[in-house]
Amino acid sequence: MRETVRTSELAAALGLTKKSVLEKARSQGWAYVTRGNAMCWVENRLPSDVRFAVALLRSGKGAPAPMQETGGGTQGNAFLNAGSGQQEKAQYRASLIYEYKKSGMNVADFITCYNGGEISRTLLSALGDVSVPTFYRWLKGFKEMGADGLVPRQGRNRGGAGESLTEEEKNLLKRFWLVNTQPSARHAWLLMKANIPYSRCSYQTALRYLESIPQMIAGYWRRGAGRFENLFLPHMEQDIGRYRSLEVVVSDHHCLDCVVRYRGQLVRPWMTTFQDLRSGKVVGWCPTVKPSSVSIVIAYYMCCIRYGIPAGVLFDNGKDYHSKWLTGHTENVRVLTPEGFGEEKEVEFQGLFQIVGSDVRFTRTYNGKSKARQERYFRIIGEYLAKDMGSYVGSDSRTRPDDAQLMWRAIDGREKRDDIPEWEDFVSRAGAMVEWLNDNLPCESKYMEGKTRSEVFEENLPPPEQIRKADKEVLQKALLKGQVRKVSRNGIKVNGTWYWSEALAPYFGTQVRSYEDLTHDDRLVCHTLDGRYICTAAANYWKETGELDSDMERLGHARKTLTQWAEQGSSQVEVAPEFETMTDVALAAYRAKGTPLEVVQVDRFLDYSGEAGKMAAGAEGRTPGKPGRSALRSPLDADSEEYMEEEA
């Protein structure tokens, strides 16, 4: 029969209450058997430290004193956990007890004298009148628990909300409530009750416990890491006044709350902007249907051409700002060494900002405080541009006009609106609005003093000799998007387009550097892996144009040119070989050594009659060679007897 331990014995051995033992057992999954209505724990299945404590208790060699079940507070901490006012009252009560013990009077006479003001008017003013039963209760509490027993009941710390809950109930409540779907407290409570049917936790108790969880913890798990950062984590306060114009520019994308027609479809337009951090002036922008690294490059190009190269640029951690084109990248290719061995070679492509010379810094993702000035500008351009486009749709359901849905579908029999502005109109209006906000709208914010953005920008520009002007050749090189591509018979394929030049023919089957030109998408600049210029290939060279004669003529000319080039390549060096075939080589080798060649009569060893005279297929009907015709033959191939006769 298994040895078992009762809950009371475990409580005595561990120095815990029965309730705490049950919580510990549930959380650790202790094995038990049922004896009547009691749970008895299997001793040899208990943790080693628990079995050791039980053994000590049974041996009588010391076990911790069990904690008493009490309805209030944490033992030994009631006075320390109480508020300052409650601690002061407990101290006054202890002083009154000290006066009683010093007086030698009985309780009734002492209380009568105290209430009459004969003991201490200071204590009387602090505690007021005290009844005999109340004083007896103070004496008992002081005797049993010291200062803890004198703390007013309403001032005792009961351990916080959820003190009556078990650890299992608390863990399940947190598990079901601290999730990013943000369920209600009742939702979490009902799930907990479904998993613990014997739980006596009420909804109010669960609610108080969940509300007692620190807001920082609840915010992280229920609202997500991004929202947690914005609500609870500190941020660096920007000192915009310490910057000069073009020292730092900030870039981001913004989706405007209006609708335009682009190639027959209704879309919400985007704008990519570069804004000077000191003045707030937008120094480069690009309206786009879909923001990408291309719109970033265009806006940056505008900034460099119009005002100069910014010393630093500040971005968030969006993937388009981390693209290979902007920040550079390396690619590994396999090449042959001069010794004929294959090896890995690293080909490096510089990024746009490395080529031009702007220092790149990144903020935390989706952290508006890092680019607060630009976020405010987006609100301004939304106010003056999106709302006046005639197709404003609002930023949410509260600001959406009643007729906004008519832009997308018919409602109540009314047809879809057809007065939506075209994309070209939006682009022109957006450019004009950016310039107007720069030059005419005064700013009352800090460091602006009611001036326009353009005025503050001009006032804080560094001396002209310190502004790095953009070199067009450097910018043109920066606009090339580089990658490694393999040359095939139709040229180089990039993004579904074939690029071809006759200069690529010698590089067939090898890898080269290819650079897409942002300003001219009909050409591709090609370099060798070590950076030597090869050619500028044309796009869609082999694509049909509808003119069959010209297409065939172009194809035929290219094929003829490549064939001639290949034929010429085999005879570029004229040679006069001494030996035309390998038999010439063999004969010359033996003649050089002076080795005599055996010449034997083949026909003397062959009999063409009977079985022996059967000829090979294709040789029937042919007359055997005449006697005296010589052939190279080894004497060892002849019959041994005939060979001996020949020798005789």
Side-chain angles (χ1 to χ4, degrees):
M1 184 176 178
R2 292 180 175 176
E3 291 290 337
T4 58
V5 184
R6 298 182 66 86
T7 304
S8 57
E9 189 176 6
L10 285 177
L14 298 175
L16 301 172
T17 63
K18 293 180 181 179
K19 180 179 178 181
S20 299
V21 169
L22 292 176
E23 293 177 5
K24 189 178 183 68
R26 289 193 187 99
S27 63
Q28 298 182 5
W30 294 356
Y32 68 93
V33 295
T34 304
R35 302 279 174 80
N37 295 326
M39 298 171 62
C40 296
W41 309 96
V42 181
E43 184 175 356
N44 60 3
R45 301 284 297 278
L46 294 173
S48 58
D49 57 334
V50 177
R51 295 200 306 269
F52 181 73
V54 172
L56 282 179
L57 178 68
R58 290 175 177 174
S59 65
K61 295 183 179 179
M67 293 177 60
Q68 299 295 326
E69 293 278 7
T70 61
T74 304
Q75 294 293 331
N77 292 323
F79 179 80
L80 296 177
N81 293 333
S84 58
Q86 306 300 330
Q87 288 181 351
E88 185 178 3
K89 287 185 178 180
Q91 290 173 348
Y92 281 129
R93 292 176 181 180
S95 299
L96 184 61
I97 292 175
Y98 175 76
E99 294 293 338
Y100 160 71
K101 291 182 178 180
K102 186 174 65 174
S103 67
M105 303 168 60
N106 59 40
V107 173
D109 293 341
F110 177 78
I111 292 301
T112 301
C113 295
Y114 164 76
N115 290 334
E118 300 176 8
I119 303 298
S120 172
R121 293 192 175 275
T122 301
L123 293 176
L124 182 62
S125 61
L127 297 175
D129 291 343
V130 177
S131 65
V132 173
T134 299
F135 190 69
Y136 270 120
R137 190 176 68 251
W138 291 354
L139 289 174
K140 181 180 179 181
F142 185 75
K143 181 179 180 181
E144 293 178 351
M145 294 183 290
D148 291 343
L150 298 179
V151 176
R153 292 182 182 275
Q154 64 272 21
R156 295 185 182 180
N157 187 348
R158 297 178 177 269
E163 178 66 13
S164 61
L165 300 177
T166 64
E167 289 299 323
E168 186 179 12
E169 291 171 328
K170 293 178 182 178
N171 290 336
L172 286 180
L173 283 173
K174 289 190 292 186
R175 175 183 175 185
F176 295 135
W177 191 66
L178 296 177
V179 291
N180 58 7
T181 54
Q182 301 185 30
S184 64
R186 179 173 291 276
H187 187 167
W189 172 68
L190 290 175
L191 278 175
M192 184 275 292
K193 295 282 285 185
N195 283 273
I196 310 178
Y198 52 83
S199 173
R200 301 181 63 182
C201 171
S202 66
Y203 168 67
Q204 292 298 329
T205 301
L207 179 62
R208 285 195 299 270
Y209 172 68
L210 293 176
E211 289 178 345
S212 70
I213 296 175
Q215 291 186 9
M216 185 174 291
I217 296 176
Y220 180 85
W221 291 103
R222 287 175 61 85
R223 301 194 180 192
R227 187 67 174 160
F228 165 79
E229 179 179 347
N230 291 331
L231 289 176
F232 301 104
L233 297 186
H235 66 279
M236 183 68 66
E237 295 184 14
Q238 290 182 332
D239 184 11
I240 296 177
R242 63 181 296 272
Y243 292 101
R244 302 291 298 273
S245 297
L246 287 182
E247 185 175 352
V248 176
V249 296
V250 188
S251 178
D252 203 355
H253 310 296
H254 178 65
C255 183
L256 293 168
D257 299 323
C258 62
V259 174
V260 298
R261 194 185 307 278
Y262 178 79
R263 295 181 180 178
Q265 295 183 349
L266 300 183
V267 299
R268 290 181 62 181
W270 288 75
M271 283 193 68
T272 301
T273 61
F274 274 76
Q275 184 185 34
D276 178 59
L277 183 61
R278 173 62 181 86
S279 63
K281 180 175 181 176
V282 174
V283 291
W285 67 90
C286 176
T288 179
V289 175
K290 184 178 181 180
S292 64
S293 56
V294 175
S295 62
I296 297 171
V297 171
I298 294 174
Y300 179 74
Y301 183 87
M302 180 186 293
C303 170
C304 295
I305 288 293
R306 299 184 67 183
Y307 302 102
I309 300 174
V313 288
L314 182 65
F315 306 137
D316 63 19
N317 277 297
K319 62 180 181 180
D320 46 357
Y321 285 98
H322 274 289
S323 69
K324 296 178 180 179
W325 188 5
L326 302 182
T327 59
H329 70 287
T330 58
E331 295 187 29
N332 292 326
V333 297
R334 190 167 184 83
V335 297
L336 290 178
T337 64
E339 295 79 14
F341 299 103
E343 68 175 6
E344 292 287 337
K345 181 178 181 180
E346 190 176 74
V347 180
E348 181 179 1
F349 294 91
Q350 284 188 313
L352 166 68
F353 301 114
Q354 292 174 307
I355 296 174
V356 179
S358 293
D359 182 37
V360 180
R361 287 179 288 173
F362 290 96
T363 66
R364 300 188 66 86
T365 308
Y366 302 121
N367 188 3
K369 298 182 180 65
S370 302
K371 307 186 301 296
R373 189 155 208 158
Q374 191 168 56
E375 298 298 332
R376 288 192 294 269
Y377 181 83
F378 286 151
R379 289 199 299 269
I380 294 173
I381 202 169
E383 175 70 25
Y384 292 98
L385 177 61
K387 291 186 177 181
D388 285 347
M389 284 295 297
S391 57
Y392 181 67
V393 295
S395 57
D396 51 38
S397 58
R398 294 172 298 177
T399 59
R400 182 172 296 117
D402 292 338
D403 59 349
Q405 297 185 39
L406 298 179
M407 301 175 188
W408 308 97
R409 58 190 177 91
I411 298 178
D412 297 334
R414 291 177 289 181
E415 295 183 356
K416 184 171 60 177
R417 285 174 49 180
D418 57 0
D419 58 343
I420 307 301
E422 296 293 332
W423 173 256
E424 293 75 12
D425 183 44
F426 165 75
V427 172
S428 60
R429 289 176 180 271
M433 180 54 63
V434 170
E435 296 286 16
W436 187 85
L437 293 176
N438 286 338
D439 300 336
N440 297 281
L441 186 67
C443 300
E444 302 296 337
S445 60
K446 192 176 181 181
Y447 304 114
M448 299 297 289
E449 300 175 354
K451 301 177 182 179
T452 65
R453 293 171 174 81
S454 294
E455 291 173 345
V456 177
F457 180 80
E458 295 293 335
E459 291 176 0
N460 289 276
L461 274 174
E465 61 273 9
Q466 296 182 11
I467 300 177
R468 292 188 300 129
K469 296 299 182 181
D471 183 38
K472 289 189 176 181
E473 294 183 356
V474 174
L475 286 178
Q476 288 293 332
K477 183 179 179 181
L479 294 178
L480 299 177
K481 183 178 181 181
Q483 52 197 326
V484 173
R485 285 290 183 268
K486 189 175 182 179
V487 181
S488 65
R489 64 179 182 176
N490 272 24
I492 299 176
K493 189 175 184 180
V494 177
N495 298 328
T497 302
W498 286 98
Y499 295 85
W500 168 255
S501 172
E502 291 183 1
L504 292 174
Y507 300 93
F508 175 81
T510 63
Q511 292 177 316
V512 298
R513 294 173 181 251
S514 64
Y515 294 91
E516 299 176 63
D517 194 332
L518 178 64
T519 57
H520 300 86
D521 58 0
D522 58 344
R523 65 191 188 188
L524 187 73
V525 181
C526 303
H527 293 253
T528 61
L529 293 180
D530 56 4
R532 289 183 292 107
Y533 174 80
I534 299 175
C535 64
T536 299
N540 298 319
Y541 188 86
W542 305 115
K543 195 171 184 180
E544 292 183 347
T545 62
E547 298 291 337
L548 183 59
D549 293 339
S550 61
D551 291 343
M552 295 302 297
E553 182 180 357
R554 184 175 67 255
L555 178 62
H557 173 73
R559 292 169 66 94
K560 181 179 179 180
T561 302
L562 294 177
T563 303
Q564 291 175 349
W565 177 86
E567 291 175 349
Q568 181 184 2
S570 64
S571 59
Q572 288 180 348
V573 179
E574 295 294 336
V575 294
E578 182 180 357
F579 308 111
E580 294 290 343
T581 65
M582 286 304 298
T583 57
D584 295 333
V585 176
L587 285 171
Y590 279 100
R591 289 194 184 103
K593 294 180 179 180
T595 305
L597 299 176
E598 289 287 345
V599 179
V600 296
Q601 300 296 325
V602 178
D603 294 336
R604 291 189 300 113
F605 302 110
L606 299 177
D607 180 9
Y608 293 100
S609 62
E611 292 296 328
K614 292 183 178 179
M615 294 188 172
E620 301 87 352
R622 293 187 180 183
T623 303
K626 296 180 179 180
R629 188 174 182 178
S630 62
L632 293 176
R633 174 103 179 184
S634 173
L636 297 180
D637 291 339
D639 184 81
S640 59
E641 295 181 357
E642 294 180 355
Y643 184 74
M644 292 174 63
E645 291 178 358
E646 178 67 22
E647 284 186 335

